[in-house]
């Protein structure tokens, strides 16, 4: 919903609604749907929609992508490069079944994410490497030789 304000020609932003104490229908609906649900409604539900946090650092020779994804194995990841777009994704399914004499309990879980990054033209895509250790996925995106930062030097005046 939109919150539009009518601005009179004199430029003031005074509310000219004579029913200011009574909320309009759109304000009332906005209030209902934008309100946070009590934790009792949300605490037992996992939507499976969460994106891992990412740090991207630039050095003189490369870009480094660090993604926090604890609890996975390196075989859970899929890294794709297509037309300078790096895609990082994972999909994990878990099932657990417990059978006792009087009952059977089945639990299952599913989680997935996909992050995509458009790489600059300066990345040497033939030498991209990745490793996963201690819950952190590190991706090294080396720069092309011509894009590497050269050290400062003095120029002699003749």
């Amino acid at each position: 919903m939109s919150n539009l304000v009518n601005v009179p020609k004199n430029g003031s932003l005074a509310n000219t609604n004579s029913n200011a104490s009574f909320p309009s229908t759109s304000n009332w609906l906005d209030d209902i749907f934008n309100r946070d649900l009590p934790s009792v409604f949300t605490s037992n539900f996992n939507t499976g929609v969460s994106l891992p946090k990412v740090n991207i650092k630039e050095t003189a020779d490369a870009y480094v992508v660090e993604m926090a994804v604890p609890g996975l194995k390196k075989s859970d990841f899929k890294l794709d490069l297509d037309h300078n777009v790096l895609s990082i994704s994972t999909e994990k399914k878990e099932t657990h079944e417990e059978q006792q004499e009087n009952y059977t309990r089945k639990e299952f879980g599913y989680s997935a994410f996909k992050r995509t990054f458009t790489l600059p033209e300066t990345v040497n895509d033939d030498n991209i490497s990745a490793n996963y250790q201690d819950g952190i996925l590190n991706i090294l995106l080396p720069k092309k030789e011509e894009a590497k930062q050269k050290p400062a030097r003095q120029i002699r005046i003749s």
Side-chain angles (χ1 to χ4, degrees):
M1 302 262 169
S2 173
N3 292 329
L4 298 178
V5 176
N6 290 330
V7 179
K9 289 184 180 183
N10 67 3
S12 71
L13 292 176
N15 187 352
T16 58
N17 184 358
S18 61
N19 295 326
S21 62
F22 188 77
S24 68
T25 304
S26 66
N27 288 344
W28 181 72
L29 289 173
D30 280 346
D31 188 43
I32 288 174
F33 290 111
N34 291 331
R35 184 180 304 153
D36 288 333
L37 292 174
S39 62
V40 69
F41 293 118
T42 59
S43 63
N44 294 323
F45 298 102
N46 181 2
T47 62
V49 180
S50 63
L51 292 177
K53 303 292 184 195
V54 174
N55 292 327
I56 300 174
K57 298 186 277 188
E58 182 179 7
T59 66
D61 297 331
Y63 299 95
V64 179
V65 177
E66 299 172 330
M67 181 178 286
V69 279
L72 298 175
K73 299 176 289 204
K74 71 178 182 179
S75 60
D76 292 332
F77 294 99
K78 182 178 176 188
L79 276 70
D80 292 311
L81 182 64
D82 186 26
H83 294 37
N84 276 0
V85 175
L86 176 67
S87 298
I88 307 163
S89 61
T90 186
E91 183 177 13
K92 188 172 182 180
K93 298 175 185 176
E94 293 179 321
T95 58
H96 176 73
E97 184 175 335
E98 181 181 330
Q99 291 188 344
Q100 296 291 328
E101 191 173 312
N102 297 335
Y103 69 91
T104 298
R105 183 179 95 184
K106 287 186 177 182
E107 292 185 20
F108 62 93
Y110 176 83
S111 63
F113 73 83
K114 183 175 185 178
R115 298 279 315 249
T116 59
F117 303 93
T118 301
L119 301 181
E121 295 288 332
T122 58
V123 170
N124 181 350
D125 59 4
D126 292 331
N127 294 326
I128 295 174
S129 62
N131 69 14
Y132 180 68
Q133 185 176 357
D134 298 329
I136 305 292
L137 177 65
N138 288 293
I139 304 169
L140 181 66
L141 306 166
K143 293 181 181 178
K144 294 178 181 174
E145 199 60 43
E146 61 271 14
K148 291 182 181 178
Q149 189 176 22
K150 295 180 175 55
R153 64 183 179 98
Q154 288 187 349
I155 300 172
R156 192 170 140 213
I157 301 172
S158 56

